[in-house]
Amino acid sequence: MRLLRRTVPLDDRLTALAEAAQAARGRLPDHVVERARTVAERAGERRGLSVEHTVVALAGATGGGKSSLFNLLTGARLAEVGVTRPTTATARAAVWDGAGAGPLLDWLGVAHRHEIAGEPSGLVLLDLPDHDSIEVSHRLEADRLVELVDLLVWVVDPQKYADAVLHERYLRRLARHGDVTLVVLNQVDRLAPSAVERCLADLRRLLDADGLSQAPVLGVSARIGAGVAELRAALVDRVARRRSWAARLAADAATAAAALARASSGSGSGASDDLDAELPPDGGRIERLEKPLTAALMDAAGVPTVVEAVTRAHRHRSIVATGWPVTRWARRLRPDPLRRLGLADGRRTDGAAEREFTAALREAGRPRVERAGPDDSGGAVREGAAPRRSSLPGASAVQRSRTDTAIRNLAHAAADGLPEEWAAAVRRAARSHARELPDRLDRAVAVAAAPFGRRPRWWGPAGTLQWLLMVAAVAGALWLAGLFALDYLRLPEPPVPTLGELPWPTVLLVGGGLAGAPLALLFRVAAWLGGRRRGRKALRALRASVAETGRELVVVPVWEEVGRYRRFADAVRNASG
């Protein structure tokens, strides 16, 4: 069940139309967007001019009798009358109570002005050039003023009232302007009364088919004055209400909004209800699609390789730092897994990595690329991609395919329910940072991996203890060697302190030698467990960093585009009133 819509004030409708045009820029055909923008700007200009005057235009074809009606309504011969050829080259204005109407007529571009005394005060009556004139300049002038005036009086005759050009080029396009349109069938004096009724009924039928069911139809004769009093009364009533200008602007806004809705939906319907489709999507669905996107990006960025390198590097460095000094030199000959990948070396912090990244960009002469929403050209990357910062291998064809599939699936889910024009914009937004994505992933991995190259605090005391044991063993060996040399030379031996029954040189040699190896084995077990723990932490950190990069370069542009459509749809509904 559809809820009743509230009435939107005119100012809000025009503001909404301008917002809709701005949101649609680069997404919908330029001529439709420009038309909406022009209507909003023109409405703002009209509101700033005299609202105490109502501009009424007599429009019609050659020989229809506009100029004759103009003279009859003004009570003076102000317009030249012709029968078979156009005589009105430029519009003429008759102004009742013209005080304050000057700026309005300047805006309309009407130079020929005549002051009329009496009532109805505030009426500005224009005699327009023929819309079917053989002179192109006449037609252009008529078309220009038809777009600007507050109230349109279409003057037709029994021969041309069904003319296809009149209905298709003008009346049908003014379907929402019934409140500011009157249609006058002139020259009824040439017809029998029964023929007049048939012509008026047929004209009414044609107007209803054009969507102008609210537009009144009057039969008049400029030659004998029949029906002119009713026409004058209708004009006096509209002028007295001082609302025709607002009704015209509201109708213009509704027409422009409907054109935006048609262009957005890609259909021929004129209803803004085309935008009433269920808008996508619930946040949970997008979050669920973010998970496969993150997984694909992690694989493409080499996160499994980095996690393995963090684990192995921790164990490698632990053994180098805390292993038995007699054998740890052999470990130093092996390559460090993290350094081999060009990642964290244990001394950089996140801030240092960021500074190094910025410095690398500066040295390369390329600006740092920060995230930005899709621009009016569709969000293409305008700046160069950042240089790679690690030695991780690039993504394989399979990994790139997985990433493209994940991005495409997320974009399709976000665009589900949107009109095709906007769905295409969402898909473009999802790929708007495609060139930047590999380097940003590499940067994200390098920055996230930096803290996991740091040395744990216990490595220092453990390494010192191993060296102390080594020094003790060497000191014990040297001490015993000295005692052996003294005995060999038959020199008197100095007193040797003992620990219980064992001499200290033996305690130092045996204790330092035997304690170092088991302690190194214990530290190796600790390193193995620590490597597993650090690998798990690295995986969490890398997943968060890659997910944030994917969110920044893929998800956020997509949601910004969806949000842009939401704003557009709301603005079109408000502009439609």
Side-chain angles (χ1 to χ4, degrees), residues 259 331 485:
R331 174 64 67 166

Side-chain angles (χ1 to χ4, degrees), residues 466-513:
Q466 284 284 39
W467 276 109
L468 289 176
L469 291 174
M470 184 67 181
V471 169
V474 171
L478 293 176
W479 196 343
L480 290 175
L483 293 176
F484 176 79
L486 291 175
D487 181 64
Y488 181 80
L489 296 174
R490 300 290 190 230
L491 296 175
E493 294 184 7
V496 177
T498 61
L499 179 62
E501 297 294 330
L502 297 175
W504 268 106
T506 303
V507 171
L508 292 176
L509 176 61
V510 175

